Structure formats: C-alpha cells, structure tokens
Amino acid sequence: MQAAQPQALRYGVAVAATAVILLVSLAASPLVERIPSIPFFSAVAISAWFGGFGPALVASVLAVLAVDYFFVDPVYALNPEDPSDVISLVAFLLIAIVISYLNVHLRNARDRAEAAHAQAELAVRSRDDFIATVVHDLRTPLTSIKGYAQFMARGEPYNQRAVAVILQQADRMGRLLTDLGDVSQLRAGQLPLRRAQVDLVPLAHDSIDQARALSSKHAIRLEAPKAPIEGWWDRDRLVQVLENLLANAIKYSPTGGEIMVRIESIGEEVKVSVQDQGPGIPREALPHLFDRFYRVEASARSTTGLGLGLYIAKSFVEAHGGRIWVESKGPGQGSTFAFTLPCRQAEAKSDASGGSRVGLVRRGE
C-alpha cells in the first residue's frame, strides 16, 4: 500500500499533518502549554500509517523543531535552555520513533493479512472453477457414451458410428484422467522418466496419424530429415508432448487449415515445432501459456479443457533437459509452439544394463 503511493505525496502528508497539529496546538496553546508535544504524536502516527517509516521520522523531527521553536523557552528560537526541556524533546523523539515503527509494523501486518486472504479466496475460486471444469469435461463424454449405450441396449442393429463415438469419448475421458494423474505426480516429484534410444521421426509420424483422426478439417504435414534423429529420451512422454501440441493446434483453429510439424537438427539439439493457422495469441498471454490451469480468456469460453496440456508438455520437455516456447505475432496471425531436446547419445552408451533408464520429473523442473 505504501509503496503504491508517490514518494512526494507520502512525505507531503507528513509535513501537512505536522503543520495542522501545530496550528491546532497554537490555537489551543493554553490547553497544551504544559505538555505541548503530546498532540504531535498523532501527526507521527498518521505519517507512519500513510507513508511508512521515512515520512514518520520526518514528522517526528519536524514536531521536535516545532515544539522547541513555539513552546519551549526561549520561544521563537531553537535553543532550549532548561536541561529538562532537552530531555523531554529527546524522549519525545524516541517515543515517536517507537510509535512510527509499531504503526508501520501494524500496517505491514495488515497488508500481509489482506494479501493472504485475497490469495486464499483466489485459491478457493480456482479450486471451484477447476472442479466445475472437470465435472463438465467428464459429463460431456459420459452423456455421449450413455446415449449410444442406451441406443444399443434397445436391441438396435449394430451401429458402427455408435461404437466409434463410445470409443472416442472413452479415449477423451482417459486423456483427461491421465493428465490429472500426471499433474499429481509432477507436483509430488514422482513421475518416472524412462529413457531409451528413440528415433523422433517415426514417433512424429505416429502422433500425426493419431491427430489426423481427430479432425478432417486440418491438413497436417511433416517436414523432417530422411535420416534418423535419435536421442536418449522417454518415448511415451514425448508422444504426450507432441500429441498435446497437435491437439492444441486443432482445438484452437476450429475452422481448419494447415498444421505444419517441423523436425530439424541444430548442433547438439533437435528442434520440433508445430505451427497452426489459428486465431493467434495475445501478447500479454504468452508468458502464462505454460502455467498450470491457465487458459487464454478469449478462447476459454468457446473451448473445453483444464489448461493442463501445455503445463505437462513443458514439464516433460524440461525433464529431458530441453526447453519449450511459443511464438505468435498476435490475434489472427496463428501461433508456433516449439521445443528442443538434447541429443545425448553418450548416455545410451554409458547405460551398462542396456535397458531403459529411470529418472524422476522433479517438482519445479
């Protein structure tokens, strides 16, 4: 609160509060003549509460000067003659400093309490929104499954479309539950990473074939070298990363268009990018896209999802020692998600067992 106030304003309040108390004290001098410093404690308290310790200290010094100049003999001079007056002024200054510290400490404590309360309310709202989204995303496929199951239960002839929809919606529920399980394990630092020698090109072909089954409106193309691009990676986790990025590209470009997947070797790394022709991403949303549960506000109303896919993809890529990012020139410009992976051939050779290596995706990685 104090930091939000301009510095000149905070110190101006200290000067103004001291001046007002001085004027009031001069007007009521017969009443405050014996202990003229007492009213100035209010100016110190106001300055500390509004401006912090610095303005309160200024108010304390101004108050000492005002009391000395206007109320302590000889008046209209900054030269107290009685030692008791000097002691009184010093005592006032020390007490004023203590009051300033206590007021600032109390204000900071109150601000922290308000911030904690606001954070707790935000957490509760986020939890409620999350539960509502999970319920919605589970209810939708369940409704389809139940409807087609009832159709089949009535003894209707075999319907291939009904079976296909049931399987498709069951897969959707499975992906949702897998994402929730992965997030839980990521948070606990217990998600295993099983490395083995993997060729990224056929992996990408498989993921693209899966993505093509999700949409007939999109043309998904792959640009990749003919030679193998191999590394010491967890194949299943990389499949999740690529399928998340492809599903994201399909979801956020509902009118169709081309989706381009590129794989290229860059020195000791391999780069994979997924470019779509969707609505693009606002600049202010770019830093938050990989946050857990984050969804761009403009698209959250028209698309389903928990906002976990990119968070999981980022965690898996970083666990491999890579990095992931997004580029978009703005609304209507499409977007490109890209990630890099280190080609660590040496790790495969150093694995004495010749099998898969198991690591953990640590929290915060």
Side-chain angles (χ1 to χ4, degrees):
M1 174 69 180
Q2 295 160 0
Q5 302 293 347
Q7 184 172 344
L9 179 60
R10 294 189 291 120
Y11 282 92
V13 167
V15 174
T18 307
V20 169
I21 296 300
L22 173 60
L23 293 175
V24 172
S25 298
L26 289 174
S29 56
L31 299 177
V32 300
E33 191 174 32
R34 296 186 62 183
I35 313 179
S37 59
I38 293 297
F40 288 91
F41 284 124
S42 58
V44 174
I46 292 171
S47 302
W49 187 261
F50 185 83
F53 188 76
L57 190 59
V58 169
S60 302
V61 173
L62 291 177
V64 169
L65 296 176
V67 171
D68 183 20
Y69 190 81
F70 290 101
F71 298 100
V72 175
D73 291 329
V75 294
Y76 309 124
L78 298 175
N79 185 24
E81 296 177 347
D82 191 337
S84 63
D85 290 332
V86 176
I87 294 174
S88 297
L89 292 173
V90 172
F92 168 82
L93 184 59
L94 293 175
I95 294 172
I97 292 173
V98 172
I99 290 175
S100 301
Y101 173 79
L102 293 176
N103 269 274
V104 171
H105 184 72
L106 179 62
R107 181 57 179 269
N108 290 341
R110 196 192 75 166
D111 289 347
R112 287 194 298 269
E114 289 178 351
H117 180 69
Q119 189 173 6
E121 287 187 339
L122 179 62
V124 171
R125 286 197 300 270
S126 298
R127 181 202 63 189
D128 292 343
D129 291 345
F130 172 70
I131 292 174
T133 304
V134 170
V135 169
H136 175 270
D137 280 10
L138 286 175
R139 180 182 288 130
T140 301
L142 277 174
T143 300
S144 298
I145 291 173
K146 183 178 179 180
Y148 281 105
Q150 289 174 338
F151 173 81
M152 298 170 69
R154 290 196 298 266
E156 299 290 343
Y158 175 78
N159 188 311
Q160 187 173 355
R161 170 171 168 74
V163 175
V165 170
I166 289 175
L167 292 174
Q168 182 184 38
Q169 297 301 327
D171 288 342
R172 178 179 170 184
M173 292 175 62
R175 287 194 299 271
L176 173 63
L177 294 175
T178 297
D179 284 350
L180 290 173
D182 286 346
V183 168
S184 177
Q185 289 182 297
L186 281 169
R187 295 285 291 171
Q190 297 176 346
L191 193 66
L193 198 64
R194 295 179 174 85
R195 296 178 184 267
Q197 197 74 11
V198 176
D199 186 349
L200 201 56
V201 176
L203 182 152
H205 276 294
D206 292 344
S207 297
I208 289 172
D209 289 342
Q210 291 289 331
R212 284 173 178 151
L214 299 177
S215 173
S216 59
K217 298 179 182 179
H218 297 81
I220 307 177
R221 296 199 299 118
L222 173 65
E223 285 186 2
K226 294 182 179 179
I229 296 184
E230 297 182 334
W232 194 242
W233 305 313
D234 185 324
R235 187 183 192 282
D236 291 340
R237 300 309 181 194
L238 293 188
V239 167
Q240 282 183 263
V241 171
L242 199 50
E243 288 184 351
N244 268 328
L245 296 183
L246 287 168
N248 203 62
I250 292 171
K251 181 191 298 185
Y252 291 101
S253 54
T255 58
E258 182 180 80
I259 297 174
M260 175 63 70
V261 180
R262 292 184 175 89
I263 303 176
E264 54 186 319
S265 293
I266 304 175
E268 298 295 320
E269 292 184 324
V270 56
K271 177 183 175 183
V272 181
S273 62
V274 178
Q275 181 180 13
D276 63 55
Q277 298 176 339
I281 302 168
R283 180 175 298 180
E284 62 273 12
L286 291 176
H288 307 289
L289 280 182
F290 297 98
D291 293 349
R292 189 164 50 108
F293 303 131
Y294 181 81
R295 301 180 67 204
V296 178
E297 185 177 353
S299 60
R301 294 185 294 269
S302 58
T303 59
T304 61
L306 300 177
L308 293 176
L310 293 179
Y311 167 77
I312 293 172
K314 179 176 183 288
S315 300
F316 289 164
V317 169
E318 291 182 348
H320 281 85
R323 57 192 180 92
I324 188 169
W325 68 94
V326 59
E327 298 172 354
S328 179
K329 295 180 180 179
Q333 303 287 328
S335 57
T336 301
F337 287 83
F339 65 91
T340 59
L341 297 169
C343 298
R344 295 176 178 169
Q345 302 290 346
E347 291 191 21
K349 297 176 183 178
S350 65
D351 186 5
S353 66
S356 64
R357 294 179 50 148
V358 179
L360 291 179
V361 179
R362 300 294 182 186
R363 184 186 303 180
E365 290 187 342

